[in-house]
Amino acid sequence: MPYPSIFSSETSQQIFDRIDALQPDSPALWGKMNVSQMLAHLCVPYEQIKGENTQQVPWFMKLILKLFLKKTLTNELPYQKNTPTAPAFIKVEIHDYENEKRRLKSYIGDIEKLGAVQLCQQPSLSLGMLKESEWNNMLYKHLDHHLKQFGV
């Protein structure tokens, strides 16, 4: 079943409502991150899209991602619990809950406004050029996975 469109205001609002249901002490149902680290983790792909995080993936890892993991990252199947995380996405330091929440909501709004046509004109740092459905699936299911991790 297709994921809701990250380019629609209705989807953005549904995600915002879920983010707003989090609390600074919301417990994780699985995994090692606390809620503030999770919010910072969710900001990483948006930082990459906006050019704020340009940490390059090593060429051999990029090849492995494109050949073996691209389909898993961009298809319509949810991520499994405790899936390994790429080093650029690991957040172990202390993060300010309110700041990370605000940043994530801002990034989600930015992508909605950017739109599919514009987003598809720029490559993913690790996967290269993506179609609208691939960007949508990858971004939405990443959000959905981690919001479910914290029960929202």
Side-chain angles (χ1 to χ4, degrees):
M1 183 159 111
Y3 287 111
S5 174
I6 61 168
F7 307 106
S8 86
S9 60
E10 293 82 15
T11 300
S12 294
Q13 188 57 57
Q14 290 170 356
I15 294 169
F16 294 161
D17 291 346
R18 291 172 71 188
I19 292 168
D20 288 340
L22 294 166
Q23 298 299 317
D25 60 349
S26 293
L29 302 176
W30 71 84
K32 299 175 185 174
M33 293 185 284
N34 64 39
V35 71
S36 298
Q37 291 167 331
M38 178 272 291
L39 292 169
H41 168 87
L42 286 174
C43 287
V44 173
Y46 300 96
E47 293 167 348
Q48 291 175 337
I49 290 166
K50 294 189 72 158
E52 298 168 4
N53 177 341
T54 57
Q55 181 180 352
Q56 292 296 312
V57 178
W59 70 268
F60 60 90
M61 193 62 190
K62 195 179 280 193
L63 182 64
I64 289 169
L65 285 166
K66 283 183 181 181
L67 292 175
F68 301 108
L69 294 176
K70 180 178 179 180
K71 184 175 180 179
T72 300
L73 295 170
T74 62
N75 67 19
E76 293 177 358
L77 299 174
Y79 294 134
Q80 295 182 9
K81 295 176 185 175
N82 296 311
T83 303
T85 301
F89 286 72
I90 295 174
K91 300 293 181 181
V92 294
E93 56 276 344
I94 296 171
H95 294 274
D96 179 73
Y97 171 79
E98 290 297 333
N99 183 56
E100 296 304 328
K101 180 177 165 180
R102 179 194 50 74
R103 282 187 341 116
L104 180 58
K105 289 171 75 173
S106 178
Y107 286 139
I108 291 166
D110 290 347
I111 294 303
E112 176 197 326
K113 289 178 188 108
L114 180 66
V117 173
Q118 291 285 59
L119 184 56
C120 291
Q121 291 177 2
Q122 62 186 76
S124 157
L125 275 182
S126 54
L127 301 176
M129 299 305 287
L130 297 174
K131 299 177 210 163
E132 177 180 349
S133 62
E134 293 171 324
W135 273 116
N136 188 74
N137 291 348
M138 184 172 66
L139 291 173
Y140 184 87
K141 78 179 182 176
H142 189 228
L143 288 165
D144 185 58
H145 173 78
H146 287 294
L147 292 173
K148 285 179 179 174
Q149 178 185 10
F150 285 85
V152 296

